[in-house]
Amino acid sequence: MRFRHPDGTAVHLAYCTNVHPAETLEGITAQLDTYAEPVRRAAGEPVVGLGLWLPVDAAAALAADPAAVTRLRGELTARGLETVTLNGFPYRGFHAPVVKRAVYYPDWSEPARLDYTLNLARILAGLLPDDAERGSVSTLPLAWRTAWSRTRTAAAARHLQALAAGLARIEEETGRTVRVAVEPEPGCVAETTEQAIEVLSDVDHDRIGLCLDACHLAVAHEEPGTAVGRLLAAGLQVVKLQASSALEAADPHDPRVREALAAFAEPRFLHQTREAGPDGSALLGSDDLGPALAGALPGKAPWRIHYHVPLHEEPAPPLASTAPVLRDTLRALFGGDHAVTDHIEVETYTWSVLPEDARPVGAAGLARGIAAELSWTARELTALGLTPLDLTPTAPAAQKEPGS
């Protein structure tokens, strides 16, 4: 799915395949038939974008085999799918029974993170549609905060410098531009856009920028327009938007609200929870929803929880989503005279751990849910003045018979 901003920018809309559990190249290819093509059909679109998630072993195999990349691109094209962005945040095991903090390892102080990200960039250079201006790879905000040190900071700086050099080599060799987008997230070294500006002050801003996740912005209580303005003033590019909504509880002290929230306290993913402090400025935080409910937070002000909920429908009362923050983020990025970014990835990876009565039934139900999220986002973009592009394949012109 693509849109044209009034300034002429082609904006790509995709959904992220980290919602699917495949870890091997064969499994990733199979999920195109199981999920991705049904999503496209349910959305009623001739072409749908995929923000592919390629775990480390599959990425290493693909990066070492350009012919396999070409075959994967052919598999995508044959199904009406295209890829301009990859999600390089999870390294492997994203659908293990318990993920929690494991998703932040290896971090940017470790060479393995650099190698993985450069493999993804090389693969993406081979997957990009011919008419795509560039590709993007999102990555973690350096590391989870608790083990960070000056030594690791220095190592991360070296690896980001090597990343920029590697991206330049890929562009020189392939003619395709791929940028890497650091994604601020609560609890990490770069939790907010202000912290991201600080840790990325010395990187190559032409090749390394920001991935804005609207759920993370909401949990950090950042105002999207202010955050985007801050990034642009610092010379950092918004390489990619992850369209997502957080879970919100207006009155976490209410027993009914706490009962509803308990259904979202699940064992696989980390659900960082933030509450405005008594002075209205500093946030109070818990690294997960379970401890927050157990008393780690006072519950005297609304909670925002790092739990990606479906974009197109609100959670059952008395809970809500931060969809208004997502709308404000879309407005900040696309509502002005110029598009601030050109890649959007719908990233609701939590469908399988939603409370049981909210989970989709089977692959077909999941495909319909993802398609509904894409359609919701498309309507929001259209309301901001972007024009959907017709990607229907053009039939080849009929050849005239000789002498006709």
Side-chain angles (χ1 to χ4, degrees), residues 309-393:
V309 293
L311 306 187
H312 63 289
E313 58 187 13
E314 285 289 301
L319 303 180
S321 80
T322 60
V325 178
L326 174 54
R327 288 191 175 94
D328 288 345
T329 305
L330 290 168
R331 189 176 302 110
L333 295 172
F334 302 107
D337 293 335
H338 301 285
V340 177
T341 189
D342 55 356
H343 292 175
I344 306 172
E345 180 182 70
V346 169
E347 201 218 9
T348 306
Y349 58 84
T350 48
W351 285 95
S352 65
V353 296
L354 287 170
E356 193 167 349
D357 60 355
R359 289 179 203 168
V361 177
L366 178 58
R368 288 192 296 272
I370 294 170
E373 291 190 296
L374 289 169
S375 298
W376 182 94
T377 309
R379 289 193 297 273
E380 295 294 323
L381 292 173
T382 303
L384 289 171
L386 280 71
T387 304
L389 298 182
D390 184 2
L391 301 179
T392 305

Side-chain angles (χ1 to χ4, degrees), residues 60-95:
L62 275 171
D65 188 354
V69 176
T70 300
R71 288 195 296 273
L72 177 57
R73 179 176 171 176
E75 297 283 0
L76 292 166
T77 302
R79 294 165 174 80
L81 308 169
E82 65 177 15
T83 293
V84 300
T85 189
L86 301 181
N87 190 323
F89 199 130
Y91 189 76
R92 62 157 62 95
F94 195 55
H95 288 267

